[in-house]
Amino acid sequence: MNTELAPFLENLRLTTAQSHKDLESLPLSESIINPEITDEQYALYLSLMYDVVSDAEQNIFPLLENIIPDLNHRTKAHLILSDLSVLDRNILAPKSRPITQNLNEISPGFALGIMYVLEGSSLGGRVILKNITTALGYDGIKGASYFAGYGDKTGSVWRNFLAVMTEYESKHDAGDEIIAGANFAFDAINDYFTENSPV
């Protein structure tokens, strides 16, 4: 990765840190890394993430088709459906559009910011996978394929995304748009989790 682009990535991390922390501090988010997690809590998390991921794949991915070369390999809604099926819970369609419901126009830069949040969750997913396997017995093949993400390639797939995003930011001076999209995504997911989680 071009070192001169590093300051943008650092700024992105710093300016989204609070929104990121707020999302991770939610009871639902904390439940997924709790050794005492139940199948019910796990299913709820997966169900809500399915809505988020489905929304993104339907409404955000089309905006990035000409920007992210391996976009088709980054779909994950089908993995969540597979995991829910193992838990004997099926979702026929998303309950709503958690991210794009209130967005009229989305620029490619803003969409990249949203994608930054979704792709970044794959890194945390590897940690979550260990907890789900230990606590509930599911693994990357059966019941926890979503959190298995890209498997051993997760790190390199993440770096490839960062390279594409920073190149776009440099060419289009889209730093502010990317940061706005990332913060929006963190906050929108936070709101959706909060609205649909038990008190």
Side-chain angles (χ1 to χ4, degrees), residues 28-65:
L28 180 64
S29 300
E30 292 183 338
S31 74
I32 206 73
I33 56 172
N34 189 327
E36 304 298 319
I37 187 173
T38 65
D39 272 9
E40 201 64 36
Q41 289 172 320
Y42 181 42
L44 173 61
Y45 187 96
L46 286 177
S47 295
L48 297 182
M49 275 309 298
Y50 174 75
D51 292 347
V52 169
V53 173
S54 257
D55 179 12
E57 290 180 5
Q58 291 174 34
N59 301 296
I60 299 300
F61 276 45
L63 302 173
L64 301 172
E65 286 177 350

Side-chain angles (χ1 to χ4, degrees), residues 88-103:
D88 198 25
R89 290 170 173 85
N90 295 306
I91 294 179
L92 299 178
K95 293 183 285 294
S96 73
R97 291 163 42 200
I99 298 176
T100 64
Q101 187 74 42
N102 298 313
L103 291 176

Side-chain angles (χ1 to χ4, degrees), residues 25-145:
S25 299
L26 290 180
L28 180 64
S29 300
E30 292 183 338
S31 74
I32 206 73
I33 56 172
N34 189 327
E36 304 298 319
I37 187 173
T38 65
D39 272 9
E40 201 64 36
Q41 289 172 320
Y42 181 42
L44 173 61
Y45 187 96
L46 286 177
S47 295
L48 297 182
M49 275 309 298
Y50 174 75
D51 292 347
V52 169
V53 173
S54 257
D55 179 12
E57 290 180 5
Q58 291 174 34
N59 301 296
I60 299 300
F61 276 45
L63 302 173
L64 301 172
E65 286 177 350
N66 298 320
I67 299 173
I68 303 176
D70 61 349
L71 188 64
N72 289 338
H73 297 292
R74 295 177 183 268
T75 58
K76 300 184 186 72
H78 65 286
L79 298 177
I80 301 177
L81 283 180
S82 174
D83 294 340
L84 286 168
S85 179
V86 171
L87 272 70
D88 198 25
R89 290 170 173 85
N90 295 306
I91 294 179
L92 299 178
K95 293 183 285 294
S96 73
R97 291 163 42 200
I99 298 176
T100 64
Q101 187 74 42
N102 298 313
L103 291 176
N104 295 320
E105 293 185 16
I106 307 171
S107 69
F110 196 90
L112 273 174
I114 293 173
M115 195 72 179
Y116 168 80
V117 173
L118 296 175
E119 285 298 293
S121 68
S122 295
L123 296 176
R126 302 293 290 166
V127 175
I128 294 170
L129 175 62
K130 293 179 182 179
N131 185 55
I132 296 301
T133 300
T134 302
L136 300 177
Y138 303 117
D139 57 31
I141 298 174
K142 185 176 181 181
S145 61

